[in-house]
CSV table of all heavy atoms in Angstrom, one decimal:
chain,number,residue,atom,x,y,z
L,37,SER,N,-14.1,46.2,12.5
L,37,SER,CA,-15.2,46.5,13.3
L,37,SER,C,-15.9,45.4,13.8
L,37,SER,O,-16.3,45.3,15.1
L,37,SER,CB,-16.1,47.6,12.6
L,37,SER,OG,-15.4,48.8,12.3
L,38,ALA,N,-16.1,44.4,13.0
L,38,ALA,CA,-16.8,43.3,13.4
L,38,ALA,C,-16.1,42.4,14.5
L,38,ALA,O,-16.7,41.9,15.5
L,38,ALA,CB,-17.1,42.2,12.2
L,39,ALA,N,-14.7,42.4,14.3
L,39,ALA,CA,-14.0,41.7,15.4
L,39,ALA,C,-14.0,42.4,16.6
L,39,ALA,O,-14.1,41.8,17.7
L,39,ALA,CB,-12.5,41.5,14.8
L,40,ASP,N,-13.9,43.8,16.6
L,40,ASP,CA,-14.0,44.5,17.8
L,40,ASP,C,-15.5,44.3,18.4
L,40,ASP,O,-15.5,44.1,19.7
L,40,ASP,CB,-14.0,46.0,17.4
L,40,ASP,CG,-13.9,47.0,18.7
L,40,ASP,OD1,-13.2,46.5,19.7
L,40,ASP,OD2,-14.5,47.9,18.6
L,41,ALA,N,-16.4,44.2,17.8
L,41,ALA,CA,-17.8,44.0,18.3
L,41,ALA,C,-17.8,42.6,18.9
L,41,ALA,O,-18.4,42.3,19.9
L,41,ALA,CB,-18.9,44.1,17.2
L,42,LEU,N,-17.2,41.6,18.1
L,42,LEU,CA,-17.3,40.2,18.7
L,42,LEU,C,-16.6,40.1,20.0
L,42,LEU,O,-17.0,39.4,20.9
L,42,LEU,CB,-16.6,39.3,17.7
L,42,LEU,CG,-16.4,37.9,18.0
L,42,LEU,CD1,-17.9,37.2,18.2
L,42,LEU,CD2,-15.6,37.2,16.9
L,43,GLY,N,-15.4,40.9,20.1
L,43,GLY,CA,-14.7,40.8,21.3
L,43,GLY,C,-15.5,41.4,22.5
L,43,GLY,O,-15.3,41.0,23.6
L,44,LYS,N,-16.4,42.3,22.2
L,44,LYS,CA,-17.2,43.0,23.3
L,44,LYS,C,-18.3,42.1,23.8
L,44,LYS,O,-19.0,42.3,24.8
L,44,LYS,CB,-17.6,44.5,22.9
L,44,LYS,CG,-16.5,45.2,22.8
L,44,LYS,CD,-16.9,46.6,22.3
L,44,LYS,CE,-15.6,47.5,22.2
L,44,LYS,NZ,-15.8,48.8,21.6
L,45,LEU,N,-18.7,41.0,23.1
L,45,LEU,CA,-19.8,40.1,23.4
L,45,LEU,C,-19.3,39.2,24.6
L,45,LEU,O,-20.1,38.6,25.2
L,45,LEU,CB,-20.2,39.3,22.2
L,45,LEU,CG,-20.9,40.0,21.0
L,45,LEU,CD1,-21.2,39.1,20.0
L,45,LEU,CD2,-22.2,40.7,21.7
L,46,GLY,N,-18.0,38.9,24.6
L,46,GLY,CA,-17.4,38.1,25.8
L,46,GLY,C,-17.8,36.7,25.4
L,46,GLY,O,-17.9,36.2,24.3
L,47,PRO,N,-17.8,35.8,26.5
L,47,PRO,CA,-18.0,34.2,26.4
L,47,PRO,C,-19.3,33.9,25.6
L,47,PRO,O,-19.4,32.8,25.0
L,47,PRO,CB,-18.0,33.9,27.8
L,47,PRO,CG,-17.4,34.9,28.6
L,47,PRO,CD,-17.7,36.3,27.9
L,48,ALA,N,-20.2,34.9,25.6
L,48,ALA,CA,-21.4,34.3,24.9
L,48,ALA,C,-21.2,34.1,23.4
L,48,ALA,O,-22.1,33.5,22.7
L,48,ALA,CB,-22.4,35.5,24.9
L,49,ALA,N,-20.2,34.7,22.8
L,49,ALA,CA,-19.8,34.4,21.3
L,49,ALA,C,-18.8,33.4,21.2
L,49,ALA,O,-18.3,33.1,20.1
L,49,ALA,CB,-19.6,35.7,20.8
L,50,ALA,N,-18.5,32.6,22.2
L,50,ALA,CA,-17.3,31.7,22.1
L,50,ALA,C,-17.9,30.4,21.6
L,50,ALA,O,-17.8,29.3,22.2
L,50,ALA,CB,-16.7,31.5,23.4
L,51,THR,N,-18.5,30.4,20.4
L,51,THR,CA,-19.0,29.2,19.8
L,51,THR,C,-17.9,28.7,18.9
L,51,THR,O,-17.1,29.4,18.4
L,51,THR,CB,-20.3,29.5,18.9
L,51,THR,OG1,-19.9,30.4,17.9
L,51,THR,CG2,-21.4,30.2,19.9
L,52,PRO,N,-18.0,27.4,18.4
L,52,PRO,CA,-17.1,26.8,17.6
L,52,PRO,C,-16.9,27.6,16.3
L,52,PRO,O,-15.7,27.8,15.7
L,52,PRO,CB,-17.5,25.4,17.3
L,52,PRO,CG,-18.3,25.1,18.6
L,52,PRO,CD,-18.9,26.4,19.0
L,53,GLU,N,-18.0,28.0,15.8
L,53,GLU,CA,-18.0,28.9,14.5
L,53,GLU,C,-17.2,30.2,14.5
L,53,GLU,O,-16.4,30.5,13.8
L,53,GLU,CB,-19.5,29.1,14.1
L,53,GLU,CG,-19.4,30.0,12.9
L,53,GLU,CD,-20.8,30.4,12.5
L,53,GLU,OE1,-21.7,30.4,13.4
L,53,GLU,OE2,-21.1,31.1,11.5
L,54,PHE,N,-17.4,30.9,15.7
L,54,PHE,CA,-16.8,32.0,16.0
L,54,PHE,C,-15.3,32.0,16.3
L,54,PHE,O,-14.4,32.6,15.8
L,54,PHE,CB,-17.4,33.0,16.9
L,54,PHE,CG,-18.6,33.8,16.4
L,54,PHE,CD1,-20.0,33.4,16.6
L,54,PHE,CD2,-18.4,34.8,15.4
L,54,PHE,CE1,-20.9,34.0,16.0
L,54,PHE,CE2,-19.4,35.4,14.7
L,54,PHE,CZ,-20.8,35.0,15.1
L,55,LEU,N,-15.0,30.9,17.1
L,55,LEU,CA,-13.6,30.6,17.4
L,55,LEU,C,-12.9,30.3,16.1
L,55,LEU,O,-11.6,30.7,16.0
L,55,LEU,CB,-13.4,29.5,18.4
L,55,LEU,CG,-14.0,29.8,19.7
L,55,LEU,CD1,-14.1,28.6,20.6
L,55,LEU,CD2,-13.3,31.0,20.3
L,56,ALA,N,-13.5,29.6,15.2
L,56,ALA,CA,-12.8,29.3,13.9
L,56,ALA,C,-12.6,30.6,13.1
L,56,ALA,O,-11.5,30.8,12.4
L,56,ALA,CB,-13.5,28.3,13.0
L,57,GLN,N,-13.5,31.5,13.2
L,57,GLN,CA,-13.4,32.8,12.4
L,57,GLN,C,-12.4,33.7,13.0
L,57,GLN,O,-11.5,34.4,12.2
L,57,GLN,CB,-14.7,33.5,12.4
L,57,GLN,CG,-15.6,32.9,11.4
L,57,GLN,CD,-16.8,33.7,11.0
L,57,GLN,OE1,-17.7,33.9,12.0
L,57,GLN,NE2,-17.0,34.1,9.8
L,58,ILE,N,-12.2,33.7,14.4
L,58,ILE,CA,-11.2,34.4,15.1
L,58,ILE,C,-9.8,33.9,14.7
L,58,ILE,O,-9.0,34.7,14.3
L,58,ILE,CB,-11.4,34.3,16.6
L,58,ILE,CG1,-12.7,35.1,16.9
L,58,ILE,CG2,-10.2,34.8,17.2
L,58,ILE,CD1,-13.1,34.9,18.4
L,59,ALA,N,-9.7,32.5,14.5
L,59,ALA,CA,-8.4,32.0,14.1
L,59,ALA,C,-8.0,32.5,12.7
L,59,ALA,O,-6.8,33.0,12.5
L,59,ALA,CB,-8.4,30.5,14.0
L,60,LYS,N,-9.0,32.7,11.8
L,60,LYS,CA,-8.8,33.2,10.5
L,60,LYS,C,-8.3,34.7,10.6
L,60,LYS,O,-7.5,35.1,9.9
L,60,LYS,CB,-9.9,33.1,9.6
L,60,LYS,CG,-10.3,31.7,9.2
L,60,LYS,CD,-11.5,31.6,8.3
L,60,LYS,CE,-12.0,30.1,8.0
L,60,LYS,NZ,-13.1,30.1,7.2
Side-chain angles (χ1 to χ4, degrees):
S37 292
D40 186 44
L42 179 62
K44 291 176 179 179
L45 290 175
T51 65
E53 176 187 10
F54 280 105
L55 294 175
Q57 286 191 297
I58 291 169
K60 288 180 187 176

